[in-house]
Amino acid sequence: MQLYERASTVPTHSYQRQDWQGGYESLKTEYDYWIDDIEGQIPPELQGTLFRNGPGLLDVNGNAIHHPFDGDGMISAIAFHNGRAHFRNRFVRTAAFVEEQQAGKILYRGVFGTQKPGGWLANAFDLRLKNIANTNVVYWGGKLLALWEAADPHRLDPATLETLGKDSLNGVLADGEAFAAHPRIDPRCNQDDGAPCMVNFSIKPGLSSTITIFELDPAGNVIRQHAHNVPGFAFIHDFAITENYCIFFQNPIAFNPIPFVFGLRGAGECIKFQPNQPTRIVVIPRHKSRQMQILETQSGFVFHHANAFEQGEEIFIDSICYESFPEVEAGSDFKQVDFDALQPGQMWRFHVNLQQQTVLRALIEPRCCEFPTMHPEKVGRPCRYLYMGAAHANTGNAPLQAILKADLETGHRQLWSAAPRGFVSEPIFVERPHGEGEDDGWILALVYDATHHRSDVVILDARNFEQGAIARLHLKHHIPYGLHGSFTPELFIPAY
Ligand SMILES: [Fe+2]
């Protein structure tokens, strides 16, 4: 592994910024092909479909959007069958995407600062939300759903990725009603005789905020739904579940909507981190009859949780925590971000005692990391292994270039790095059929390769990262850095 030479006055980096920037070019073409440029071998037992979502367009007809979170959702599907793999990508045809593509210009403001052309006058009092369907994609109840947390899901054909329209979860969601982008699948729900269920939530933020919990059975029907009011503004992207609880971290945030209303800033740029306020941990029982509890811990900001589990009246939550919210500055260019000036996200374990109303926390992974994942059978239970995107270097803040495997039992770590010219996305763990042990399976990840300006689908043996990738599938193009995705053992290959 070659790193750049160390110079005494220049910080040593495992990456060059312009390499990283290449992964933020729009991908305007929709592809459909069998992948034939492969290093190594795709394990023949690996069967199923990996779906990924993320912003595919970073511009609208040459007009740059202000932040990747404002980019139109594009779904990629990589289907694995008998040692071969098929690739397909399609944009989610949201109403606003279709309108903007026809008009050839930006017609909607983005939550993270994208403005319509014409300055603040053209943007003032336009409070419409553009549902961009860009954050996650999940196959559940026979439906493929593209998710964006502030509005309703879009349903897609899992084989063709054609957009079928917005989905109300069989009439449960009103038009435009929020449904978060971070469902958790409880593999053995104790309220459903051990059947799996999908748990998700929605947030209605305000002076006090409403958190609604949804639980869906394997057929996709909402079988439990309950709403809870929490004091104060809530900006909550993710949550964690245990067998009996949903756990939310209410980050200490103040929201001043005035610059948004007057067309000066996006709503997401009106958020101010409150370092002197505590983070609130909201514990909502999944059984409707029990009471919500709110506890406090040190100030910090959490986007993503890895997992949570219970031991009696105690709950343990592993979360990636930032010292403060990386605020989006109006007028700044996200591609010029100074990684060294920002605090890294680090994995912390929070230990909540519901009886004593106490919260303790401990740093369990100091390396800069994001996008944690794990064996799906361990969701909500004690798990031994976590996998996450990580920086190549073990200290400081940097783009994600490596995949880290953390053994929480022994403290052992394994790192697979794509540095200096590779940049990773969220890893996904896929269990080997009839596998033995929690790490018997594969890690699948899209890796942007700046050398060839293309992306690879990388397959690692989850038991042993150190032997290197067991396969690298070279795509014919790059895929802009994505957000989240999921794997289903169901196979979706065209005309199959
Ligand atoms: Fe997320």
Side-chain angles (χ1 to χ4, degrees):
M1 197 168 307
Q2 190 174 350
L3 298 181
Y4 296 102
E5 280 183 28
R6 183 179 292 272
S8 56
T9 54
V10 180
T12 304
H13 288 143
S14 60
Y15 64 95
Q16 289 196 331
R17 192 209 299 259
Q18 68 205 56
D19 281 350
W20 170 76
Q21 290 169 339
Y24 276 124
E25 275 183 28
S26 296
L27 176 66
K28 303 207 170 176
T29 308
E30 295 181 318
Y31 292 90
D32 193 337
Y33 59 92
W34 286 95
I35 303 168
D36 55 15
D37 186 0
I38 298 171
E39 281 176 63
Q41 273 203 323
I42 301 172
E45 320 96 278
L46 174 59
Q47 302 273 341
T49 310
L50 173 68
F51 292 107
R52 303 284 318 155
N53 196 356
L57 287 186
L58 286 306
D59 70 276
V60 177
N61 201 23
N63 301 299
I65 60 170
H66 185 63
H67 192 281
F69 291 172
D70 286 342
D72 292 294
M74 187 194 77
I75 309 296
S76 300
I78 300 108
F80 299 93
H81 181 55
N82 290 345
R84 300 186 68 205
H86 181 273
F87 178 86
R88 165 173 277 179
N89 69 306
R90 291 288 181 276
F91 281 92
V92 186
R93 262 61 176 184
T94 64
F97 171 84
V98 172
E99 254 183 277
E100 288 190 329
Q101 292 303 304
Q102 282 171 354
K105 61 180 182 182
I106 294 170
L107 300 175
Y108 289 87
R109 304 174 72 188
V111 171
F112 288 88
T114 300
Q115 300 277 50
K116 295 185 288 184
W120 70 272
L121 267 175
N123 289 276
F125 307 112
D126 182 353
L127 309 183
R128 295 172 303 162
L129 272 182
K130 178 186 176 189
N131 182 343
I132 45 178
N134 73 356
T135 311
N136 204 346
V137 55
V138 59
Y139 183 70
W140 184 259
K143 293 177 181 175
L144 185 66
L145 299 175
L147 304 175
W148 182 64
E149 66 194 25
D152 34 1
H154 281 76
R155 185 177 175 188
L156 310 165
D157 181 319
T160 64
L161 301 183
E162 178 194 349
T163 303
L164 303 174
K166 295 207 291 181
D167 192 90
S168 66
L169 310 179
N170 303 331
V172 169
L173 299 179
D175 186 38
E177 191 176 340
F179 191 64
H182 272 285
R184 301 269 172 183
I185 294 173
D186 180 344
R188 292 174 299 282
C189 179
N190 63 18
Q191 296 184 72
D192 301 333
D193 297 324
C197 76
M198 184 170 93
V199 190
N200 200 10
F201 67 95
S202 72
I203 300 287
K204 198 184 277 181
L207 293 175
S208 82
S209 302
T210 305
I211 301 175
T212 303
I213 310 288
F214 302 89
E215 301 210 7
L216 284 74
D217 69 10
N221 299 305
V222 175
I223 48 173
R224 285 178 286 279
Q225 181 180 352
H226 39 110
H228 305 263
N229 284 316
V230 296
F233 182 79
F235 176 43
I236 298 175
H237 173 68
D238 189 11
F239 76 142
I241 62 167
T242 64
E243 293 176 66
N244 295 299
Y245 298 100
C246 295
I247 301 113
F248 297 85
F249 278 37
Q250 188 181 8
N251 299 299
I253 288 291
F255 178 64
N256 170 13
I258 290 170
F260 168 59
V261 173
F262 284 94
L264 299 166
R265 286 169 168 254
E269 296 170 313
C270 298
I271 282 171
K272 195 95 193 128
F273 187 71
Q274 306 288 294
N276 299 318
Q277 298 291 320
T279 292
R280 291 198 195 118
I281 300 180
V282 180
V283 180
I284 298 179
R286 291 173 58 192
H287 296 254
K288 279 187 203 176
S289 55
R290 298 180 62 187
Q291 290 295 309
M292 172 176 81
Q293 294 191 53
I294 300 179
L295 301 95
E296 292 186 351
T297 184
Q298 285 98 328
S299 175
F301 192 92
V302 170
F303 278 114
H304 294 126
H305 303 283
N307 191 34
F309 61 93
E310 295 167 40
Q311 275 177 359
E313 287 297 305
E314 296 172 302
I315 301 177
F316 296 83
I317 310 132
D318 294 339
S319 311
I320 292 180
C321 199
Y322 297 80
E323 267 183 34
S324 68
F325 175 64
E327 285 163 26
V328 183
E329 289 298 325
S332 65
D333 179 353
F334 75 90
K335 285 187 178 177
Q336 301 302 329
V337 60
D338 180 0
F339 285 96
D340 296 322
L342 298 173
Q343 293 296 323
Q346 296 168 311
M347 182 76 72
W348 289 76
R349 171 159 287 187
F350 294 84
H351 176 184
V352 173
N353 188 312
L354 293 176
Q355 216 147 48
Q356 296 170 4
Q357 293 280 299
T358 55
V359 182
L360 300 170
R361 64 172 201 168
L363 183 64
I364 57 174
E365 180 49 61
R367 184 188 294 262
C368 167
C369 58
E370 249 304 349
F371 296 129
T373 191
M374 56 183 292
H375 193 301
E377 287 293 315
K378 298 288 179 184
V379 171
R381 281 89 182 151
C383 78
R384 178 170 175 182
Y385 302 110
L386 293 177
Y387 310 89
M388 60 207 91
H392 175 80
N394 58 10
T395 57
N397 184 51
L400 304 178
Q401 294 192 280
I403 298 172
L404 179 69
K405 175 185 180 185
D407 182 336
L408 302 179
E409 211 169 282
T410 65
H412 185 66
R413 301 287 188 264
Q414 290 188 35
L415 191 80
W416 176 85
S417 178
R421 303 203 72 189
F423 300 87
V424 309
S425 61
E426 175 190 60
I428 297 280
F429 176 87
V430 178
E431 59 188 307
R432 188 190 308 274
H434 317 295
E436 291 171 12
E438 192 186 310
D439 59 351
D440 194 358
W442 304 281
I443 294 295
L444 307 180
L446 285 169
V447 178
Y448 172 67
D449 166 15
T451 306
H452 300 94
H453 186 50
R454 71 181 177 198
S455 295
D456 293 341
V457 182
V458 168
I459 305 174
L460 306 178
D461 181 336
R463 290 169 303 187
N464 183 0
F465 280 20
E466 270 133 32
Q467 67 182 5
I470 53 177
R472 278 188 91 124
L473 289 55
H474 303 303
L475 301 182
K476 298 176 190 290
H477 47 82
H478 82 296
I479 297 177
Y481 298 123
L483 294 166
H484 301 290
S486 55
F487 182 86
T488 170
E490 294 213 29
L491 190 59
F492 294 107
I493 293 180
Y496 205 79

